Amino acid sequence: MNATFPTADALRAALSGALDGLPPKQAGQAVDRLIAHYRGTVPTGTPVLRDRSDVAAYAAYRMPATFEAVRAALGALREAAPDWAPATHTDVGGGTGSASWAVAGEWQGQRTTVLDWAEPALALGRELAAAGPESLRTADWRRARIGQDLELAPADLVTISYVLNELTDPARTALIDAAAASAQAVVVVEPGTPDGYTRIIEARDRLTAAGLTVAAPCPHSDACPIEPGTDWCHFAVRVSRSSLHRQVKGGSLAYEDEKFSYVVATRFTPDPVTARVIRRPQIRKGQVLLDLCTRDEALGRTTVTKRHGGLYRAARDTDWGDAWPPPPGD
């Protein structure tokens, strides 16, 4: 991991500087509309970020959470392919660059191209990137319509984060197929809702049909063992909230939990985890209950007790979304 550049801190500082003076009322109104879109209550197929006010509100409301969710997915990719690093990266529908900031925090030296159909988002993305590492400062921020006619140049890594909900069904299919054809690794992240999970499963199915292998979060590339309509696979990351973030959202807590669903698939052969913790561990007196998705038994629960010694201590430190058992050295 890139330990020489504090990417998360730099992003927060860049956001603070770029958004200084933004009227909270104006930002709040834009955020209300964005929340309606995020929850799927507005039509799709058109750009969501229409002007500078929308972009600034999005940056305050969504950018930190998107960054953390994508960073978690990229961490799972690094876990499955520790010796692999992308030389080129395409951020599809990247907007202000949340996913590109996350990629810049994981690897160094890659050439990044950010594609989005909203020029105001790209403009703010360029502005924020000036405070980032070299791969962001030298990135190509390019306007492109994210739809059925999108052509993607070959790239080692393609990220598609919080984009599929904005597209029509044919455009989603075309985008995933284009990513599968152009990339060595594809990372797709969506909201951790039943609808978001459904879109992830659709993307996962198309990626594997195109010959890619699932690297994360699943321990296998077989069909998801969750029966449709009964549950959905999602995870959570904790996000620090700035004072502006609290203003536009009307909250007082210094953090929030971002729930997300994702899939990582690769052209090369990854080493997926043996099992993934798919619920918050239940810690009880003398035991820890772990709900797992495994390679062989699909969904199941394991109970780790004090009799397991070091494994029990590891279980107490294990979090939702982690590999089980922990990798050697953890």
Side-chain angles (χ1 to χ4, degrees):
M1 187 171 182
N2 183 353
T4 63
F5 199 97
T7 310
D9 292 341
L11 175 58
R12 283 193 290 269
L15 279 171
S16 178
L19 303 178
D20 185 36
L22 177 70
K25 182 177 180 180
Q26 183 181 9
Q29 291 171 345
V31 163
D32 287 342
R33 189 179 64 80
L34 289 170
I35 290 174
H37 166 79
Y38 181 72
R39 293 174 178 169
T41 57
V42 297
T44 60
T46 58
V48 177
L49 304 178
R50 301 175 300 191
D51 54 32
R52 175 75 183 199
S53 296
D54 279 357
V55 172
Y58 166 81
Y61 167 55
R62 287 299 310 160
M63 200 171 177
T66 301
F67 167 81
E68 293 293 352
V70 175
R71 182 161 70 166
L74 295 175
L77 170 56
R78 286 179 60 90
E79 186 177 47
D83 297 326
W84 180 83
T88 52
H89 164 227
T90 302
D91 187 358
V92 180
T96 54
S98 302
S100 293
W101 276 85
V103 171
E106 294 294 329
W107 297 281
Q108 300 180 57
Q110 65 275 3
R111 299 189 306 277
T112 288
T113 300
V114 183
L115 304 178
D116 201 272
W117 52 11
E119 180 56 39
L122 294 169
L124 182 58
R126 294 187 195 100
E127 180 182 336
L128 296 173
E134 183 179 2
S135 62
L136 290 175
R137 297 194 304 271
T138 60
D140 181 10
W141 301 78
R142 188 183 306 169
R143 190 173 186 185
R145 181 171 181 83
I146 311 303
Q148 289 172 257
D149 297 328
L150 178 66
E151 294 184 4
L152 295 178
D156 292 330
L157 173 64
V158 169
T159 54
I160 306 170
S161 58
Y162 295 85
V163 173
L164 299 183
N165 187 44
E166 299 178 22
L167 304 178
T168 62
D169 289 344
R172 289 176 198 162
T173 297
L175 173 56
I176 296 300
D177 289 349
S182 68
Q184 293 298 306
V186 180
V187 176
V188 187
V189 183
E190 283 287 295
T193 62
D195 287 345
Y197 163 72
T198 297
R199 292 189 291 272
I200 287 295
I201 287 300
E202 292 171 352
R204 184 185 188 277
D205 289 346
R206 297 202 71 84
L207 291 169
T208 55
L212 279 70
T213 301
V214 175
C218 321
H220 56 78
S221 296
D222 297 332
C224 177
I226 297 177
E227 184 179 345
T230 63
D231 202 352
W232 69 100
C233 182
H234 63 290
F235 305 93
V237 287
R238 181 144 292 185
V239 183
S240 297
R241 300 171 67 191
S242 66
S243 59
L244 178 59
H245 192 150
R246 294 196 293 271
Q247 278 184 316
V248 298
K249 291 197 70 176
S252 58
L253 292 177
Y255 65 88
E256 67 178 355
D257 289 332
E258 169 70 8
K259 295 181 179 179
F260 65 100
S261 295
Y262 76 98
V263 63
V264 179
T266 63
R267 281 283 173 195
F268 52 85
T269 302
D271 184 18
V273 300
T274 302
R276 179 84 60 185
V277 180
I278 58 171
R279 291 287 182 273
R280 292 194 187 279
Q282 300 180 42
I283 300 178
R284 300 178 179 175
K285 186 176 180 179
Q287 61 181 12
V288 181
L289 278 60
L290 300 176
D291 291 304
L292 304 173
C293 181
T294 68
R295 291 180 184 176
D296 302 323
E297 299 177 3
L299 302 178
R301 172 174 287 184
T302 188
T303 300
V304 186
T305 69
K306 286 185 176 181
R307 292 177 300 179
H308 292 95
L311 204 58
Y312 170 71
R313 290 189 293 273
R316 289 183 61 87
D317 291 334
T318 294
D319 204 356
W320 185 8
D322 286 350
W324 185 260
D330 281 11

